[in-house]
Amino acid sequence: MADYYGQQHTQHQHQQLNPVQQPRSHQMVKAATAVTAGGSLLVLSGLTLAGTVIALTVATPLLVIFSPVIVPAVITIFMLVSGFLASGGFGVAAISVLSWIYRYVTGKRPPGADQLEHARHRLATKAGEMKDRAQEFGQQHVTGTQQG
């Protein structure tokens, strides 16, 4: 009887280690699919590498011949495009800031207006505190010079 329970316990542990046993044909199909997909991608990778090497071999003499013209042209085009993009970006930023200020001044409460009011209030409070400290310091300094 103990032997029977021992066998059941061993079978139960074996089932827990391999919970899903797939049929061999299903495993073979998965392996064939993986090999086919991997092989196809490997062939495409090789063809791409070969095409790149051939294109570089053909283009190198042309690049060497035309480099005195191509390099300055590429630099000029890059600078022009960068300038136009920066100009456009700064223009959009300026328009959005002016629009925000207009909405704030007209009382329409744009996003962030509450934070601005809070910061302005804190600055005013700190400025008042600093003014009071300066007055106290000035009074102490005047009082100290009169006593000395």
Side-chain angles (χ1 to χ4, degrees):
M1 180 118 146
D3 190 24
Y4 174 75
Y5 286 118
Q7 287 177 351
Q8 276 189 331
H9 184 67
T10 306
Q11 288 175 352
H12 182 67
Q13 284 178 339
H14 182 69
Q15 287 174 352
Q16 284 180 346
L17 293 176
N18 297 324
V20 178
Q21 291 267 337
Q22 296 177 346
R24 195 153 189 76
S25 61
H26 188 66
Q27 290 177 345
M28 294 297 289
V29 168
K30 285 172 70 174
T33 304
V35 167
T36 303
S40 299
L41 291 174
L42 192 60
V43 168
L44 284 174
S45 174
L47 288 174
T48 304
L49 178 64
T52 302
V53 169
I54 290 170
L56 189 60
T57 304
V58 170
T60 299
L62 295 173
L63 288 174
V64 169
I65 291 170
F66 292 112
S67 67
V69 176
I70 290 176
V71 172
V74 167
I75 291 172
T76 303
I77 289 171
F78 174 75
M79 290 177 69
L80 282 170
V81 169
S82 298
F84 281 124
L85 288 175
S87 174
F90 292 145
V92 168
I95 289 171
S96 62
V97 167
L98 289 172
S99 170
W100 189 92
I101 291 172
Y102 175 76
R103 284 184 279 154
Y104 181 75
V105 169
T106 57
K108 295 183 181 172
R109 309 298 294 168
D114 295 333
Q115 293 173 344
L116 183 64
E117 292 292 330
H118 181 67
R120 189 166 57 112
H121 178 68
R122 286 181 58 195
L123 283 172
T125 304
K126 287 293 181 185
E129 289 175 9
M130 293 304 291
K131 180 182 172 187
D132 293 340
R133 283 186 186 176
Q135 285 177 348
E136 289 174 14
F137 181 75
Q139 288 174 355
Q140 288 175 358
H141 184 66
V142 170
T143 315
T145 54
Q146 288 176 354
Q147 289 176 357

